[in-house]
């Protein structure tokens, strides 16, 4: 009976393990990058969409395990979902006003390149995992959102650090950015624009909600970097007549960077389902938090 119990336990654990897989998506002599892939319990015959999730942490901390609940939720709803580790370039370096601008840019570049590598890995193994290569989304929180925005809109040839097999015509099906920002709105063009779900607290003093310096650094700071946050990106979507959704958390600070992914993943699921159905979005949801500060007071729609 004991042997039978142990055998049944092994089978159960094996079945569970098949739903979550830890995989190495890139390795060379000095670097090993891993991800955890979550798949639906019962895979359909046809290929399914994939979302690649990128954790936050200022490019110096954080871990991919923080995305487990989000990925499990999406896998339960018919998506393949992967949460990745990536290069924490700013570890033991300064990332605020007293840091170095060039180092900040490199942090974005390493993060974007790792996303490209993970995407390349899934394109190469799409049949193995039953993934539809035309339906790959990316999501991220804070630093992860900054990395994925640049992964979506940077020129891959000029910013690539490693070889990858992404076709020149490859575009993500859509992206989800939690308190993210991009260095230049002009990177987003009519040709490369993809549907975007953006959410941000308009009182964020770390990553600007609209357009301002990173950390609101004063001019002349060694780490001064202009960033265009969710509100500015949403305006760009409108200019280009694209598809997007913005959730503004009135008075909310950077603590809202993971709010939708962690607390309201159904919003993301609904967004991706609408994108895949071909629906165009242009919505701005204004959510009261009961908080207020000097930054959020500039936006009349919050009052």
């Amino acid at each position: 009976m004991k042997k039978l119990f142990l055998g049944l336990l092994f089978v159960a654990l094996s079945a569970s393990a098949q739903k979550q897989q830890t995989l190495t998506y890139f390795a060379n002599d000095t670097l090993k990058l891993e991800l955890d892939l979550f798949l639906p319990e019962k895979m359909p015959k046809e290929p399914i969409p994939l979302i690649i999730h990128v954790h936050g942490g200022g490019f110096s901390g954080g871990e991919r395990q923080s995305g487990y609940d989000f990925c499990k939720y999406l896998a339960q709803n018919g998506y393949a979902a992967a949460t990745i580790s990536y290069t924490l370039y700013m570890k033991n370096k300064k990332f605020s006003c007293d840091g170095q601008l060039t180092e900040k840019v490199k942090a974005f570049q390493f993060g974007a390149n790792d996303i490209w590598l993970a995407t390349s890995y899934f394109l190469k193994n799409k049949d193995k995992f039953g993934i539809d290569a035309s339906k790959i989304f990316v999501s991220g929180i804070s630093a992860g959102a900054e990395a994925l925005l640049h992964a979506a809109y940077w020129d891959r040839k000029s910013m690539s650090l490693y070889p990858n097999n992404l076709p020149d015509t490859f575009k993500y099906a859509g992206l989800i950015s939690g308190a993210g920002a991009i260095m230049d709105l002009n990177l987003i063009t009519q040709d490369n624009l993809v549907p975007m779900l953006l959410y941000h607290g308009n009182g964020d003093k770390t990553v600007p909600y609209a357009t301002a310096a990173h950390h609101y650094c004063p001019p002349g700071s060694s780490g001064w970097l202009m960033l265009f946050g969710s509100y500015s990106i949403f305006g760009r979507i409108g200019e280009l007549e694209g598809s997007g959704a913005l959730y503004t958390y009135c008075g909310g600070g950077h603590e809202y960077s993971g709010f939708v992914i962690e607390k309201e993943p159904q919003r993301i699921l609904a967004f991706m389902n609408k994108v895949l159905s071909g629906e165009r979005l242009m919505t701005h949801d204004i959510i009261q938090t009961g908080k207020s500060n000097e930054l959020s007071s500039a936006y009349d729609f919050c009052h």
Side-chain angles (χ1 to χ4, degrees):
M1 180 63 70
K2 186 176 181 181
K3 288 183 178 180
L4 176 61
F5 171 78
L6 292 174
L8 291 173
L9 178 61
F10 175 78
V11 171
L13 288 174
S14 297
S16 176
Q18 288 174 1
K19 301 171 194 175
Q20 175 189 345
Q21 305 173 58
T22 298
L23 304 161
T24 298
Y25 70 88
F26 179 75
N28 61 18
D29 293 341
T30 60
L31 180 64
K32 180 180 180 181
L33 296 170
E34 294 183 325
L35 60 81
D36 288 299
L37 175 64
F38 294 79
L39 295 171
E41 185 174 355
K42 294 182 179 179
M43 288 288 289
K45 293 182 179 179
E46 66 276 7
I48 61 175
L50 165 72
I51 184 167
I52 299 171
H53 179 66
V54 192
H55 67 78
F59 296 100
S60 63
E63 57 185 12
R64 70 179 187 274
Q65 288 81 359
S66 62
Y68 276 10
D69 288 345
F70 176 60
C71 289
K72 288 177 183 177
Y73 172 79
L74 293 176
Q76 290 166 0
N77 285 277
Y79 283 76
T83 177
I84 70 170
S85 294
Y86 60 102
T87 303
L88 301 179
Y89 183 78
M90 297 308 296
K91 191 171 184 178
N92 300 320
K93 298 178 183 179
K94 295 178 179 179
F95 196 50
S96 191
C97 301
D98 57 348
Q100 295 296 321
L101 171 59
T102 53
E103 293 292 85
K104 287 185 176 183
V105 176
K106 284 182 181 178
F108 289 5
Q109 186 179 15
F110 273 98
N113 270 265
D114 291 350
I115 295 169
W116 293 334
L117 289 172
T119 306
S120 179
Y121 173 82
F122 281 116
L123 289 182
K124 182 179 179 180
N125 293 282
K126 60 184 177 65
D127 294 335
K128 177 180 178 180
F129 299 122
I131 290 167
D132 188 332
S134 68
K135 299 176 181 177
I136 299 179
F137 293 81
V138 279
S139 70
I141 295 172
S142 187
E146 291 167 340
L148 71 85
L149 282 163
H150 290 88
Y153 296 118
W154 254 340
D155 176 72
R156 289 194 291 271
K157 289 183 178 179
S158 62
M159 300 305 292
S160 181
L161 297 171
Y162 313 102
N164 62 67
N165 69 343
L166 295 180
D168 292 341
T169 57
F170 175 83
K171 291 169 64 173
Y172 292 101
L175 64 84
I176 297 92
S177 167
I182 195 166
M183 289 190 294
D184 184 357
L185 279 181
N186 293 317
L187 292 173
I188 305 172
T189 68
Q190 192 74 60
D191 291 334
N192 65 17
L193 181 65
V194 301
M196 290 185 266
L197 185 154
L198 312 159
Y199 67 92
H200 214 138
N202 66 0
D204 194 330
K205 296 181 180 180
T206 301
V207 179
Y209 166 73
T211 300
H214 187 219
H215 286 268
Y216 285 81
C217 297
S221 300
S222 59
W224 188 91
L225 172 64
M226 184 62 74
L227 288 177
F228 298 84
S230 301
Y231 188 67
S232 298
I233 295 171
F234 187 69
R236 181 67 169 169
I237 297 171
E239 291 174 4
L240 297 174
E241 299 183 347
S243 181
L246 171 63
Y247 292 94
T248 295
Y249 290 87
C250 289
H254 200 60
E255 71 274 9
Y256 279 83
S257 61
F259 190 84
V260 174
I261 283 173
E262 295 166 0
K263 305 294 185 182
E264 299 177 336
Q266 69 275 8
R267 294 186 186 271
I268 295 171
L269 177 63
F271 166 76
M272 294 193 297
N273 287 341
K274 288 178 181 179
V275 169
L276 294 177
S277 70
E279 182 177 342
R280 180 182 180 270
L281 304 168
M282 200 60 194
T283 59
H284 183 187
D285 286 55
I286 299 164
I287 302 164
Q288 300 296 334
T289 66
K291 299 181 179 183
S292 62
N293 58 50
E294 66 275 15
L295 296 179
S296 62
S297 63
Y299 304 96
D300 292 337
F301 52 72
C302 278
H303 305 287

